[in-house]
Amino acid sequence: MDNTETARTAVEFWFDPNCPWAWMTSRWVGEVERQRPIDVTWRVMSLFVLNEDQDIPDEYRERIHKGQVYPRIVTAALLRHGQEIVKPLYDALGEHVHHRQESDPDQVVPAVLRELDLDEDLLEYAWTDEVDQAVRASHQDGIDRVGQDVGTPVIAVEGTAFFGPVISPAPKGQEALDLWDGVVAVAKVPGFFELKRSRTVGPIFDTVA
């Protein structure tokens, strides 16, 4: 009997809970994780930090500024409870923000903390800048892997990092594995930088993984 363990692949995934496209990609990575020996470390990015020096519409700037509470609450929970809380918290936030289309962080964050039985005093970190340095450090770590001209999500596979993929809906089963193998393969080519086509659909949400 062969007792050799299958080699596990280290994956890092940077996300802003407020980003629907990162959410779609995260559902795909979760599907791959159920079928392949990969170990995913979930890390925070911030759409607000990403765009703070950019010329963007005021309405969008206001939305991502308000949505900064989500990277903050995930970071505060990470600092208190460790990496194991990040994915459950991201899943719960995504259910409210993306599937239920709840747009008020004042309602979403307390509800999610109750659902996960997390300390209510974590709320204070959502509304202050106390963990912003840690948010920015995590964000910058992701950006440093791929360069400035990207967004969220960022994925690193065994040290090879790339932006995206931007997908809708999140593929399942063999289709998810085929996409994974293709994306990882092209990302490993040193001279490969970009492959893109215009989006023809918006985020198509399914159930939470």
Side-chain angles (χ1 to χ4, degrees):
M1 180 177 178
D2 186 2
N3 293 320
T4 303
E5 291 187 8
T6 302
R8 302 193 66 81
T9 300
V11 176
E12 296 170 275
F13 188 105
W14 282 264
F15 65 93
D16 183 324
N18 202 37
C19 178
W21 296 105
W23 176 253
M24 300 301 299
T25 307
S26 75
R27 301 308 92 184
W28 163 64
V29 170
E31 176 73 5
V32 174
E33 189 175 24
R34 283 190 290 273
Q35 302 183 69
R36 289 280 179 83
I38 67 173
D39 294 318
V40 184
T41 301
W42 301 88
R43 304 193 185 280
V44 162
M45 287 185 74
S46 167
L47 288 172
F48 177 73
V49 173
L50 184 70
N51 290 282
E52 62 183 344
D53 296 325
Q54 304 299 315
D55 183 15
I56 58 175
D58 291 340
E59 182 180 355
Y60 181 61
R61 187 177 300 279
E62 181 180 353
R63 183 172 74 82
I64 61 177
H65 183 267
K66 188 176 182 180
Q68 181 73 342
V69 300
Y70 298 131
R72 284 172 173 170
I73 199 66
V74 173
T75 300
L78 166 67
L79 293 174
R80 180 173 296 186
H81 298 289
Q83 175 62 219
E84 64 273 8
I85 195 59
V86 175
K87 180 59 161 47
L89 186 50
Y90 183 25
D91 287 345
L93 287 168
E95 169 67 18
H96 284 266
V97 173
H98 303 302
H99 291 267
R100 302 182 191 177
Q101 293 290 294
E102 297 173 5
S103 59
D104 186 357
D106 291 352
Q107 302 297 321
V108 170
V109 174
V112 166
L113 293 182
R114 288 193 298 269
E115 288 170 14
L116 298 180
D117 198 26
L118 293 173
D119 299 331
E120 288 188 7
D121 69 336
L122 284 172
L123 278 172
E124 66 185 75
Y125 298 101
W127 317 123
T128 69
D129 62 1
E130 190 166 343
V131 298
D132 280 10
Q133 184 175 353
V135 171
R136 287 178 178 273
S138 179
H139 175 91
Q140 193 61 46
D141 183 25
I143 291 296
D144 286 346
R145 309 288 185 97
V146 291
Q148 295 294 322
D149 191 25
V150 299
T152 173
V154 168
I155 303 177
V157 181
E158 297 288 2
T160 298
F162 49 89
F163 160 64
V166 176
I167 49 178
S168 180
K172 296 182 174 61
Q174 187 59 46
E175 186 181 20
L177 299 180
D178 291 344
L179 178 60
W180 177 260
D181 292 337
V183 168
V184 171
V186 298
K188 288 182 177 179
V189 176
F192 177 81
F193 298 107
E194 187 171 352
L195 180 67
K196 186 175 182 178
R197 63 179 177 179
S198 297
R199 294 195 296 264
T200 58
V201 297
I204 300 172
F205 300 117
D206 203 338
T207 55
V208 171

